[in-house]
Amino acid sequence: MKHFFIVFFFILTISVQYCFAADDMTDLDYEFIDNAFSNPNPTTNKQFEEVMKRYENKEPNGIFYKIKKFFNRDNPEYDKNFKKMYEAPNNQPLRIKDAPENKPYVTIGANFYDSKDNMIQAGHYQADYKEENGSYTITLLQGTTRIVDIKAIPYEDDWEAPAVIYCRTEKVQDDLIRIIYSNLDLTIQGYIRLNKE
């Protein structure tokens, strides 16, 4: 025990002397202190992004993690793409009341006649609806151009609905197609007749 105290005091005295010796400031670079910010070398965006990619979202890399990931492959916690899609606050799914802003698409694969017997070309259309004095119309758009208005009536859709807001077609007869449009407030249907020629 006596030897331990002797070694301890010996190390303590050497470290105290070293601390006081470092206080004399003879080894400081005064040139750097005087001109530290006169010629800065800023980091470029590319360098910053490279460093951030290196350290950000780094997936653990170990045998136990790989085994755990393999057995939990259906768990979104281990799916990097799923995490990137929904982790950031700007990538959160829309609130349910914001969803009606989106217009669903419908594809009609043949030329068709609307409810006023006007011939319309086949194509991809965005669907919207209008309500005036209790009567409904399904409006088919291409971009911002209104192509056709189809008379519609309220409809109670079955359980095959593909989404909350959707527009889909359903074959009624060989040449008769039902267009069903639905959003959070209503579901309506209209009919078009396909051109057989």
Side-chain angles (χ1 to χ4, degrees):
M1 188 74 171
K2 185 177 179 183
H3 296 292
F4 172 73
F5 285 116
I6 294 172
V7 172
F8 176 72
F9 284 118
F10 179 71
I11 292 173
L12 184 64
T13 55
I14 290 175
S15 63
V16 170
Q17 287 179 356
Y18 179 75
C19 292
F20 286 121
D23 262 352
D24 65 358
M25 294 191 192
T26 55
D27 58 345
L28 289 177
D29 185 6
Y30 291 106
E31 182 78 22
F32 173 74
I33 292 173
D34 293 338
N35 301 318
F37 299 105
S38 63
N39 191 9
N41 187 6
T43 304
T44 63
N45 286 341
K46 184 179 177 185
Q47 292 170 333
F48 178 76
E49 290 299 327
E50 287 173 359
V51 170
M52 290 306 290
K53 281 180 188 174
R54 203 172 326 145
Y55 293 107
E56 200 173 62
N57 296 329
K58 199 170 184 181
E59 189 172 3
N61 191 14
I63 187 74
F64 293 115
Y65 179 78
K66 287 180 181 177
I67 292 171
K68 193 174 182 181
K69 183 178 176 182
F70 176 77
F71 286 111
N72 293 308
R73 60 184 170 263
D74 296 330
N75 188 344
E77 180 183 341
Y78 295 96
D79 190 353
K80 278 183 93 173
N81 294 330
F82 183 80
K83 280 177 128 181
K84 283 181 189 172
M85 197 181 318
Y86 292 111
E87 265 185 354
N90 295 335
N91 295 338
Q92 292 299 318
L94 294 173
R95 295 187 315 254
I96 196 116
K97 278 297 182 183
D98 293 341
E101 305 284 326
N102 300 331
K103 295 181 180 124
Y105 287 90
V106 66
T107 302
I108 301 173
N111 295 341
F112 62 95
Y113 295 100
D114 66 354
S115 45
K116 296 178 183 172
D117 276 341
N118 297 326
M119 175 83 132
I120 311 296
Q121 295 292 319
H124 302 282
Y125 297 96
Q126 269 188 313
D128 202 359
Y129 82 100
K130 289 191 293 189
E131 179 185 359
E132 292 177 0
N133 301 329
S135 63
Y136 298 98
T137 55
I138 297 173
T139 305
L140 298 181
L141 308 159
Q142 284 186 332
T144 57
T145 307
R146 184 180 57 81
I147 304 298
V148 65
D149 289 329
I150 301 166
K151 289 181 188 175
I153 57 172
Y155 176 68
E156 191 168 315
D157 201 1
D158 53 14
W159 295 105
E160 296 175 19
V164 176
I165 299 165
Y166 62 92
C167 186
R168 65 185 174 98
T169 58
E170 202 175 77
K171 181 179 174 183
V172 178
Q173 295 175 357
D174 284 342
D175 63 340
L176 190 65
I177 300 292
R178 174 189 293 140
I179 297 178
I180 301 169
Y181 173 85
S182 179
N183 65 19
L184 293 172
D185 300 323
L186 62 102
T187 302
I188 54 177
Q189 69 176 351
Y191 292 92
I192 58 173
R193 190 166 298 280
L194 296 180
N195 185 12
K196 288 186 176 181
E197 298 172 5

